[in-house]
Amino acid sequence: MLPYSLIHEAADRLKKRVRRTELIHSHHFSERLGIPVHFKCENLQRTGSFKIRGALNFMLAQPREKLTRGVITASAGNHAQGVAFSADLLGVRATVFMPESTPPQKVQATREYGADVVLAGKNFDEAYAAAIQTQKESGALFVHPFDDHLVMAGQGTIGLEILEELPDVGTILVPIGGGGLIAGIATAVKETHPRVRIVGVESKAAPSMHYSVKRGKILEAPLTVTLADGIAVKKVGKNTFPIVRELVDEVVLVDEEEIALAIVALLERTKLLVEGAGAVTLAALLNGKAGKPAGKTVCVLSGGNIDVKTIATVVERGLLAAGRYLKLKVILDDIPGSLAGLATDIAATRANISLITHERRSKDLPLGKTEVLLELETRGYEHIEEVIDHLRRGYEVDVVK
């Protein structure tokens, strides 16, 4: 187990070195869900995520001679930036192994903090294996992204901050990857407030902690592509697992559509930019995955490192999931005025055309016909059905997935 005293020691080390992130009350989501909802905004942390807390605490606690050969780590992105920033702060060389699929924004940010970046493997676990091999050869100090008591203690300072500002908190939802964040927060909170309910949230695409807790032992889980790449871990930590099993009340799963909708909702309603791994807590809350939380509820928004390309994909996916975006293929007679007539019919449904492509030369089209691809802004699933029903009265219409 993680000694509670280590978390207070971490808080002393990190004071004035990391940002004490805001705990924001959300009027919109509180009214929508019928409970007081707060966000712990680690997306606003230095380096854009909570990871700096654990990485910096680990390095500050080391004798200086242990750092002389530099530090090495593996990360899907956020821990990489935390290690790189901390190493630069302390004047230590850092080498970071990252999966080949890591978003370019996270790779570039890590390099800008001064670290040497090595892209290796298809996922975190393969990058981790490569980093361990290099560490054995170089003698550099390995900074584990989650399965270390000093790292967990640094993350646990988030729990202390929540309790200081919201001592009557009832439920805290925390993202889970390898388990370091939730292990630290659960230890910090349960020591003095044992009745606070701690709920861990994973992506269905990376459910290693969920399966492990359910079976009572550490299990590897298959990974698929997920918006929550920051918590996509095949196997949880041997040190984090027993803490989660003992102190965490429930581990729940959310799917990709739910994550996308949560990212979009946070952008629209709170003006907070949060990556997929950070948005899973709100996704669980919005979709009833965490039951009906009692009392004041905190969603830990663990990070905000999301690249522009992913934002565009997420927004489109979120709008699709919310019924606010519709793609159609319509076949028209290839005569003057047909396209104008279609636009008039769409206007009658009160849908808005955001993009239109007119194809007249496809070999798959019958003679005398033309194909139009439409992207429409809609107002929900009922409105989508109204639009499709209306257009099918006069046109050949297919929904494009």
Side-chain angles (χ1 to χ4, degrees):
M1 300 302 286
L2 174 64
Y4 178 66
S5 60
L6 284 184
I7 300 174
H8 279 279
E9 291 172 11
D12 289 337
R13 287 193 195 100
L14 299 178
K15 197 175 295 181
K16 296 183 180 180
R17 287 189 168 101
V18 301
R19 179 173 182 169
R20 184 188 177 101
T21 53
E22 291 79 358
L23 186 65
I24 297 174
H25 174 253
S26 170
H27 294 284
H28 169 78
F29 290 108
S30 296
E31 292 174 2
R32 180 171 169 179
L33 295 165
I35 54 173
V37 176
H38 297 73
F39 295 125
K40 180 61 171 169
C41 299
E42 286 295 296
N43 58 307
L44 303 178
Q45 183 60 261
R46 297 179 76 171
T47 74
S49 91
F50 73 96
K51 286 288 192 176
I52 187 177
R53 295 177 184 258
L56 185 55
N57 182 56
F58 176 89
M59 282 189 244
L60 287 170
Q62 304 301 320
R64 188 67 193 181
E65 57 270 20
K66 275 197 169 186
L67 300 173
T68 54
R69 293 190 179 182
V71 295
I72 192 168
T73 195
S75 169
N78 287 337
H79 179 65
Q81 292 175 65
V83 169
F85 178 89
S86 301
D88 183 60
L89 188 68
L90 300 177
V92 175
R93 182 182 175 185
T95 303
V96 178
F97 282 73
M98 306 175 81
E100 295 166 359
S101 59
T102 303
Q105 179 263 351
K106 292 185 178 182
V107 174
Q108 183 61 29
T110 303
R111 286 180 173 142
E112 287 175 357
Y113 286 127
D116 297 323
V117 175
V118 180
L119 297 178
K122 296 177 182 178
N123 53 47
F124 165 78
D125 297 272
E126 292 182 9
Y128 175 84
I132 290 294
Q133 181 60 40
T134 302
Q135 185 272 330
K136 290 175 181 177
E137 296 167 358
S138 67
L141 183 65
F142 190 79
V143 186
H144 202 286
F146 51 82
D147 206 29
D148 178 274
H149 281 173
L150 288 170
V151 171
M152 285 186 267
Q155 327 301 28
T157 57
I158 295 171
L160 297 182
E161 291 175 11
I162 291 172
L163 291 179
E164 286 173 17
E165 292 190 49
L166 205 66
D168 55 345
V169 61
T171 302
I172 303 175
L173 289 90
V174 186
I176 298 182
L181 175 62
I182 197 168
I185 290 176
T187 300
V189 171
K190 292 283 189 175
E191 178 73 18
T192 56
H193 293 65
R195 293 186 179 179
V196 174
R197 187 163 171 257
I198 307 290
V199 178
V201 188
E202 287 184 303
S203 164
K204 282 183 179 178
S208 54
M209 186 67 80
H210 177 79
Y211 284 162
S212 297
V213 169
K214 197 172 181 180
R215 298 290 182 87
K217 61 181 180 180
I218 296 175
L219 297 173
E220 279 195 13
L223 299 180
T224 54
V225 177
T226 174
L227 292 169
D229 60 285
I231 53 173
V233 176
K234 267 189 181 180
K235 192 174 181 181
V236 301
K238 64 180 181 181
N239 294 317
T240 63
F241 175 70
I243 299 172
V244 172
R245 183 173 56 181
E246 180 168 334
L247 299 181
V248 174
D249 297 277
E250 188 178 8
V251 178
V252 301
L253 303 176
V254 292
D255 63 33
E256 296 305 296
E257 275 195 2
E258 291 164 344
I259 297 170
L261 281 170
I263 294 172
V264 173
L266 283 163
L267 268 173
E268 286 192 327
R269 298 298 183 174
T270 67
K271 313 310 174 195
L272 291 171
L273 181 62
V274 179
E275 64 186 276
V280 295
T281 52
L282 179 61
L285 202 57
L286 290 176
N287 292 280
K289 300 297 179 69
K292 182 70 174 176
K296 295 178 180 177
T297 298
V298 174
C299 290
V300 176
L301 307 180
S302 57
N305 292 318
I306 182 170
D307 64 277
V308 174
K309 183 178 178 182
T310 303
I311 292 170
T313 301
V314 165
V315 169
E316 180 176 319
R317 191 164 183 167
L319 292 174
L320 280 168
R324 293 167 54 193
Y325 186 69
L326 175 63
K327 291 183 177 181
L328 295 176
K329 180 173 74 173
V330 181
I331 305 300
L332 300 177
D333 291 327
D334 191 11
I335 57 176
S338 291
L339 188 57
L342 175 61
T344 300
D345 284 330
I346 290 170
T349 70
R350 293 169 297 158
N352 189 42
I353 299 173
S354 60
L355 184 66
I356 185 166
T357 304
H358 191 194
E359 176 59 67
R360 302 178 64 193
R361 297 180 179 86
S362 173
K363 64 180 182 179
D364 296 325
L365 285 171
L367 290 174
K369 296 291 183 179
T370 183
E371 179 182 277
V372 176
L373 296 176
L374 296 163
E375 295 183 17
L376 306 179
E377 295 173 6
T378 51
R379 298 191 306 278
Y381 288 109
E382 288 187 8
H383 188 211
I384 283 176
E385 289 186 14
E386 290 174 14
V387 172
I388 294 172
D389 288 344
H390 180 80
L391 294 179
R392 279 181 173 161
R393 293 171 194 164
Y395 305 94
E396 182 183 334
V397 178
D398 288 317
V399 177
V400 180
K401 300 296 186 183

